[in-house]
Amino acid sequence: MSVLTQALRAALDSRTDLLATLHAQGTDCYRLFHGSQEGAGGLTLDRYGPQLLVQSFHQPVDRDTLLGLHAEVQQRLGLPLHLVYNDRSGGNSRIDRHDKVYSAEPAALEDMIGHEWGLDYRVRGRHAGQDPLLFLDLREARGWVKDHAKGKSVLNLFAYTCGVGLSAVAGGASEVCNLDFAEGNLAVGRENGLLNPRLPEMSFVQSDYFPAIRQLAGLPISQRRGQKLPSYPRLAQRQFDLVLLDPPAWAKSAFGTVDLLRDYQSLLKPAILATADDGVLICCNNLAKVAFDDWRDQVLRCAEKAGRPVRQWSRLGPGADFPSADGQPPLKIMVLHF
């Protein structure tokens, strides 16, 4: 038995109780092997409903190894899964879609449906973007929102495919607004809404983060000298009962730069001001190089300077399918009560 097979079996053994719990909750999207913590850095195995997504980030795996991993997972779960393999170890992995190791069956690349917390989600093993359509490590935050959204107005910032928004309407939110710059992301969010027709409709705003959140917060939109800003949707100043802020690590536009390492405050301050009195802001930072304690102190100082000191805070972590030996997973989540 190979070392990798042993590592996978150990990972699956450790998840026995977790998977039983997730299945009982109506969830079939989760991480089966978290290589950086379970013996094979740069390798992940994720289940998205009826498919198994294997991704390599440091070096490709050979075909026999890949098929062996697939067989091991199918045997353990007791059901067939469509296999998709994305080798993302090359510098041009976003563009180069040639399958040098394994070509997925056409059926494996079709649109499918996965489930989380009893909700239906569009899943695609491969699409025009680099990342999966549902970030699995944010599952606990989506569950928290579902449990605490009843009767609340919810603003989902950097909404991606609107999983948090869907969780909010499922939890009885009075209003849900999903905001994202990419229309392709929001299109999947609309699909997710249609896949759950029993739920109320959500609203969607396609906009750069900075002009949108600064309008909501009642702050001016800065303009660089000599440069004309692109057009953007006009929004009225207002606050929401529950706000989710989950930005990417880095992005740049004509309106500003998203930089979780050097300037988290420029993202956080307007989000705080767009949160209602006695409201809740859930903020995230996915940079592994940022220590939780340092980030927490930064967040609390920013709230104090904005005149909205945090009354109470708590920490949410990824689920047990994202183990962390030192208790410091890359994704850090704080729930701030004002």
Side-chain angles (χ1 to χ4, degrees), residues 97-159:
R97 295 294 183 179
H98 294 97
D99 296 307
K100 299 181 178 67
V101 174
Y102 172 82
S103 295
E105 297 292 333
L109 298 177
E110 293 179 357
D111 284 2
M112 299 180 188
I113 297 176
H115 309 88
E116 183 187 86
W117 299 109
L119 300 172
D120 295 352
Y121 286 90
R122 171 65 64 218
V123 294
R124 296 185 184 116
R126 185 174 297 168
H127 59 98
Q130 178 103 341
D131 294 302
L133 295 179
L134 185 68
F135 288 112
L136 302 179
D137 56 352
L138 201 63
R139 182 180 65 244
E140 297 305 307
R142 288 188 288 267
W144 194 97
V145 169
K146 187 171 182 285
D147 288 342
H148 294 84
K150 187 174 181 61
K152 293 180 169 58
S153 58
V154 177
L155 175 62
N156 183 20
L157 300 167
F158 297 99

Side-chain angles (χ1 to χ4, degrees), residues 24-337:
Q25 292 171 348
T27 296
D28 60 12
C29 296
Y30 40 72
R31 176 148 293 181
L32 290 164
F33 185 70
H34 193 53
S36 64
Q37 299 291 311
E38 296 184 293
L43 181 67
T44 60
L45 277 71
D46 296 321
R47 181 186 176 188
Y48 284 90
Q51 68 184 11
L52 176 67
L53 176 61
V54 180
Q55 299 196 91
S56 52
F57 296 84
H58 294 171
Q59 59 187 22
V61 299
D62 61 75
R63 181 184 175 86
D64 288 344
T65 298
L66 178 66
L67 295 179
L69 296 173
H70 183 213
E72 193 72 36
V73 168
Q74 289 188 123
Q75 180 180 3
R76 182 61 64 95
L77 295 182
L79 69 150
L81 294 175
H82 295 284
L83 175 63
V84 178
Y85 172 53
N86 292 335
D87 176 28
R88 294 170 56 177
S89 61
N92 62 341
S93 61
R94 180 185 292 273
I95 299 170
D96 184 4
R97 295 294 183 179
H98 294 97
D99 296 307
K100 299 181 178 67
V101 174
Y102 172 82
S103 295
E105 297 292 333
L109 298 177
E110 293 179 357
D111 284 2
M112 299 180 188
I113 297 176
H115 309 88
E116 183 187 86
W117 299 109
L119 300 172
D120 295 352
Y121 286 90
R122 171 65 64 218
V123 294
R124 296 185 184 116
R126 185 174 297 168
H127 59 98
Q130 178 103 341
D131 294 302
L133 295 179
L134 185 68
F135 288 112
L136 302 179
D137 56 352
L138 201 63
R139 182 180 65 244
E140 297 305 307
R142 288 188 288 267
W144 194 97
V145 169
K146 187 171 182 285
D147 288 342
H148 294 84
K150 187 174 181 61
K152 293 180 169 58
S153 58
V154 177
L155 175 62
N156 183 20
L157 300 167
F158 297 99
Y160 191 44
T161 55
C162 309
V164 168
L166 193 66
S167 298
V169 292
S174 60
E175 174 191 3
V176 173
C177 177
N178 298 290
L179 188 145
D180 198 273
F181 177 73
E183 173 55 34
N185 292 343
L186 296 179
V188 178
R190 293 186 179 93
E191 279 190 77
N192 286 334
L194 293 173
L195 288 173
N196 297 271
R198 67 191 183 281
L199 298 180
E201 293 185 1
M202 303 179 284
S203 66
F204 305 86
V205 176
Q206 181 188 2
S207 174
D208 185 283
Y209 174 75
F210 290 104
I213 195 62
R214 293 186 73 83
Q215 288 179 91
L216 293 172
L219 297 173
I221 299 172
S222 58
Q223 182 174 345
R224 292 186 177 92
R225 181 176 297 178
Q227 293 186 3
K228 183 179 180 180
L229 291 176
S231 61
Y232 53 87
R234 271 22 184 208
L235 303 173
Q237 180 180 353
R238 65 161 297 184
Q239 293 180 320
F240 292 78
D241 301 317
L242 198 162
V243 178
L244 187 287
L245 174 64
D246 182 21
W250 192 90
K252 187 175 183 179
S253 76
F255 297 96
T257 300
V258 175
D259 188 341
L260 301 197
L261 181 63
R262 299 173 184 83
D263 192 14
Y264 195 89
Q265 295 93 321
S266 67
L267 306 172
L268 182 61
K269 178 183 175 180
I272 290 173
L273 297 178
T275 304
D277 293 338
D278 297 321
V280 173
L281 171 62
I282 304 174
C283 53
C284 308
N285 189 318
N286 59 28
L287 275 185
K289 64 178 68 175
V290 174
F292 175 80
D293 289 349
D294 294 339
W295 177 63
R296 175 203 59 208
D297 293 345
Q298 182 184 63
V299 166
L300 297 179
R301 281 197 307 271
C302 181
E304 193 81 33
K305 289 180 180 179
R308 299 290 306 280
V310 174
R311 176 170 50 86
Q312 178 185 344
W313 67 270
S314 59
R315 180 179 183 178
L316 287 177
D321 48 335
F322 286 82
S324 174
D326 61 0
Q328 297 291 329
L331 177 61
K332 294 160 284 290
I333 306 171
M334 287 183 67
V335 181
L336 311 178
H337 297 262

